[in-house]
Amino acid sequence: MRCFFKVFVALCLALTVSACSKPAAWASDEDLAKVQYRDAGPTKLTLFTMINNRSGTGAHTSLMISASQRVIWDPAGSFYHPSIPERNDVLFGISPRVADVYTRYHARETFHVIVQELEVSPDVAEKALRLALARGNVGDAQCALSTSGILSQLSGLESVSVGWYPKKLAEQFGALPGVD
C-alpha cells in the first residue's frame, strides 16, 4: 500500500508540473526570414518590466535584443499576434511598430511598463541573442529568472544576480552604468 501511495504522489506531481508550462511555439525558418528586422541604430538591450499598478509589484519581465536582428525574449509571456512569429519564447520581426504594439499590449489600467535601454557592443548583443534562442520555452513564473540568467552571462552585466522577481531585476539593470 505504501508503494502504491508513493507512485500515486509521484504521478500527481509529474502531471502538475507538466501543466505549468505553455506549449512551445515553433515558427518555420521561412516565416522568420520573412519578418527579420535589423534596427539601424546601435546594438542594445531593452528590459521591459511590467508593474502592477495596485500592488506596485513586478508582474512580468522581457528583453528586447537589438543585434544582427531585433527580437524580444518574452519568457512565459502571453503576447500573441498572428503576424509576429515566435520560436519558443522569442518573438521575431520587432520593428519599431511591433515594439510599440508589444509595449501597449502590456500597458493598461492595471499595469504600466518600465522600459530601460542599455547600449552594448555588437558581440554582447549577439551573445544575448544566441542565449535567448538557445534557452527554449520557459515555464510560468520564470520570466525574471530566465532573463536574469541570460543577462548575468553577458560581459559587463555579470553583476546582475539571477533571481525570480521582475522589479528587483529592473532595479539591478537600472543601476548598471549607461542605462537610460
Side-chain angles (χ1 to χ4, degrees), residues 1-175:
M1 184 68 154
R2 193 173 265 180
C3 182
F4 173 76
F5 180 73
K6 287 180 181 180
V7 171
F8 177 74
V9 169
L11 181 61
C12 287
L13 285 173
L15 290 172
T16 301
V17 170
S18 69
C20 288
S21 37
K22 65 180 181 168
W26 192 264
S28 70
D29 289 343
E30 181 180 284
D31 287 343
L32 300 184
K34 279 189 230 175
V35 300
Q36 188 174 40
Y37 176 81
R38 166 93 167 81
D39 186 57
T43 51
K44 62 183 168 183
L45 304 174
T46 304
L47 186 70
F48 296 106
T49 307
M50 292 53 160
I51 303 292
N52 184 308
N53 290 334
R54 293 184 186 126
S55 66
T57 59
H60 185 57
T61 294
S62 59
L63 182 68
M64 184 163 62
I65 304 165
S66 294
S68 56
Q69 64 176 309
R70 188 158 71 179
V71 302
I72 294 178
W73 165 244
D74 190 29
S78 60
F79 179 81
Y80 171 78
H81 191 281
S83 68
I84 302 169
E86 177 181 353
R87 183 171 282 180
N88 286 325
D89 284 331
V90 179
L91 305 170
F92 290 81
I94 309 301
S95 67
R97 184 184 70 73
V98 172
D100 183 60
V101 167
Y102 179 84
T103 305
R104 290 175 188 269
Y105 168 82
H106 289 92
R108 47 191 177 267
E109 184 178 326
T110 53
F111 294 94
H112 69 276
V113 181
I114 297 172
V115 180
Q116 300 168 293
E117 295 183 337
L118 177 64
E119 286 187 25
V120 296
S121 71
D123 288 342
V124 169
E126 283 304 313
K127 183 172 182 180
L129 177 60
R130 284 191 311 274
L131 289 169
L133 292 171
R135 178 59 176 84
N137 200 39
V138 173
D140 291 344
Q142 295 182 34
C143 57
L145 183 67
S146 60
T147 302
S148 60
I150 288 172
L151 292 173
S152 69
Q153 295 179 62
L154 303 175
S155 178
L157 285 85
E158 300 92 349
S159 65
V160 172
S161 298
V162 178
W164 290 89
Y165 301 103
K167 194 170 180 179
K168 286 186 179 189
L169 177 56
E171 290 167 359
Q172 288 183 66
F173 193 80

